[in-house]
Amino acid sequence: MATAGKVIRCRAAVAWAVGKPLSVEEVEVAPPKAGEVRIKIVATGICRTDEHVLEGSFPNMDFPVIPGHEGAGIVESVGEGATSVKPGDKVILIPLPQCGECSFCLNPESNYCMKSHLSKSQCLLPDGTSRFSCKGKQIHHFLWVSTFAEYTVIPECVVAKIDAAAPLDKVCLLGCGFSTGYGAAINTAKVKPGSTCAIFGLGGVGLSVVMGCKAAGASRIIAVDINKDKFAKAKELGATDCISPHDFKKPIQEVLTEMTGHGVDYSFEVIGRVDTMVAALASCNMNTGVCVMVGLPPSGSMMSVDPMLLLSGRTWKGTLLGGCHMKDCIPKFISSYLEKKLNLDLLITHTLPIAKVNEGFELLRAGKSIRSVLLF
Ligand code: CND
Ligand code: ZN
Ligand code: ZN
């Protein structure tokens, strides 16, 4: 491509400081160094995790930063030694690396790659530098993907090549929301046919858990949210019951226990609140119940639970990206989508140009969207 090896000037939504709206700016994007790939982003979803960045509740963040982590695009150029993709390939960016060599990548039960950036600063590329600048200032990366930029540079371990037939404005959801929720049911909880499930929080991620529970053959899928506007979509995707904690005087865990006899077989917290994490744990049955934490709690949160909840036999688990080995899972999800076995389109309620990125976040905050997809 004519741009290979050169700095590209393009648009990006920059978060200059905590609590400020995003600002769509012209940024400079340096060429990829060895082992890196530069990608033209075509479409990116807005996930609640991006809102956590803007409100300052995501751990270890450095500003200014270009957020976004649910993106799909086309490879523009590759750095020396990057061989898994080539210019022109359609790709999905993955916010959790998969080096393919470390003991966790090789273990089918784990997807937390040793190259992961979550415990350290995740706001610079692995060599400790940034490829973004704006108005003479260095701009930070987010989760090594920064998909709110028209062009982004990423290490090769966070890109998955996909079928050229895939529509990027739909399959971008595989970069986070869908894979996280669906994988939480299939890989992390390993939901069994005929089982009962409760899902707390019916955003793009929680509704993907509903889809995963349905695909696994759960017989009862109870969807829990304080926003009843989410119930119609939850039913369409497979929920058998929809309840709001606001409609009951007693705690929701007691309601769920009464509805199911002893509590559900699997519960999922997909909100990101400490109180609902404890309620989800107490909602699964005391012997064999499995509770999966999916929501991201505010940075620095601490929890207090009655140890008896676990001593009686419950299992409490967490999941990142639904336990998916993303480079392997994404091409399979794409095939299912193209064969019309997976309907991601139902999760997309709004499609907006990048210039309207703040409108997309307003819709999320107001509970009026499931997923908004931004287009460059
Ligand atoms: P989104 O905001 O769209 O959905 C959250 C839902 O929770 C909304 O429908 C709310 O109405 C509902 N809700 C809020 N408070 C309550 C309450 N007290 N009781 C019941 N329901 C409530 O968020 P999303 O679906 O984009 O993301 C959900 C969480 O998952 C969020 O914390 C995000 O950061 C996290 C996440 C985790 C991972 C991972 O890898 N573990 C990946 N992506 C996102
Ligand atoms: Zn690895
Ligand atoms: Zn996400």
Side-chain angles (χ1 to χ4, degrees):
M1 294 218 180
T3 45
K6 297 180 188 154
V7 170
I8 294 179
R9 291 173 166 274
C10 62
R11 287 163 303 154
V14 180
W16 288 98
V18 169
K20 294 269 187 300
L22 284 156
S23 168
V24 179
E25 309 268 3
E26 187 179 81
V27 298
E28 287 102 48
V29 186
K33 292 189 184 176
E36 296 174 354
V37 181
R38 189 161 59 184
I39 291 163
K40 180 176 179 20
I41 299 288
V42 173
T44 175
I46 298 178
C47 172
R48 175 63 67 164
T49 302
D50 299 308
E51 168 67 358
H52 294 322
V53 172
L54 302 187
E55 69 191 11
S57 60
F58 195 92
N60 306 323
M61 284 303 302
D62 293 314
F63 287 79
V65 63
I66 299 175
H69 65 282
E70 201 173 76
I74 297 167
V75 175
E76 175 268 338
S77 61
V78 297
E80 200 189 316
T83 52
S84 60
V85 289
K86 58 180 190 317
D89 282 349
K90 277 191 181 177
V91 293
I92 286 183
L93 295 83
I94 55 177
L96 190 65
Q98 186 181 342
C99 76
E101 291 164 3
C102 74
S103 57
F104 292 128
C105 278
L106 294 173
N107 181 348
E109 294 296 314
S110 140
N111 70 339
Y112 190 81
C113 174
M114 305 268 272
K115 282 224 167 129
S116 186
H117 37 67
L118 289 182
S119 54
K120 332 185 252 285
S121 168
Q122 35 195 304
C123 299
L124 294 170
L125 291 184
D127 74 346
T129 62
S130 166
R131 303 290 162 271
F132 294 123
S133 60
C134 177
K135 299 174 183 159
K137 277 200 175 146
Q138 172 186 274
I139 309 293
H140 291 91
H141 294 248
F142 177 53
L143 296 176
W144 292 351
V145 291
S146 288
T147 60
F148 290 175
E150 196 172 1
Y151 285 85
T152 187
V153 176
I154 63 169
E156 194 182 7
C157 59
V158 296
V159 66
K161 187 181 163 176
I162 59 165
D163 192 320
L168 298 179
D169 59 336
K170 304 289 189 294
V171 301
C172 59
L173 264 52
L174 297 177
C176 178
F178 177 79
S179 302
T180 298
Y182 194 88
I186 303 285
N187 302 320
T188 312
K190 299 189 191 336
V191 169
K192 290 191 187 136
S195 59
T196 54
C197 303
I199 297 97
F200 288 65
L202 305 174
V205 186
L207 289 170
S208 300
V209 178
V210 171
M211 292 168 85
C213 293
K214 170 132 199 256
S219 59
R220 198 162 182 201
I221 302 172
I222 308 172
V224 183
D225 203 299
I226 50 175
N227 180 355
K228 292 185 180 177
D229 292 346
K230 306 286 179 108
F231 290 175
K233 187 73 76 166
K235 286 225 160 117
E236 192 179 353
L237 291 170
T240 53
D241 308 68
C242 293
I243 56 173
S244 165
H246 288 167
D247 287 344
F248 302 92
K249 287 214 172 72
K250 59 180 81 159
I252 197 72
Q253 54 268 40
E254 288 179 24
V255 176
L256 285 161
T257 304
E258 279 171 19
M259 281 172 79
T260 52
H262 304 288
V264 293
D265 297 313
Y266 306 94
S267 58
F268 301 84
E269 201 278 356
V270 206
I271 303 163
R273 294 173 57 98
V274 167
D275 60 339
T276 43
M277 287 177 183
V278 177
L281 176 65
S283 301
C284 67
N285 89 63
M286 63 190 294
N287 293 299
T288 56
V290 176
C291 174
V292 180
M293 282 174 28
V294 187
L296 184 77
S299 171
S301 303
M302 301 296 277
M303 323 175 75
S304 162
V305 291
D306 178 352
M308 283 308 292
L309 284 173
L310 293 166
L311 210 65
S312 59
R314 288 183 177 89
T315 304
W316 204 5
K317 307 176 89 172
T319 191
L320 286 174
L321 275 298
C324 296
H325 287 268
M326 294 288 272
K327 288 195 184 204
D328 310 326
C329 286
I330 285 179
K332 289 182 193 156
F333 287 146
I334 296 267
S335 302
S336 299
Y337 177 82
L338 292 174
E339 287 163 18
K340 301 201 184 308
K341 291 180 188 156
L342 199 66
N343 194 346
L344 295 172
D345 303 22
L346 287 173
L347 297 171
I348 301 171
T349 50
H350 299 78
T351 302
L352 302 164
I354 187 68
K356 294 194 172 173
V357 59
N358 288 314
E359 200 176 299
F361 277 90
E362 284 308 324
L363 288 163
L364 177 75
R365 289 176 198 127
K368 292 193 173 144
S369 58
I370 303 295
R371 271 301 193 255
S372 294
V373 171
L374 302 168
L375 300 178
F376 278 98

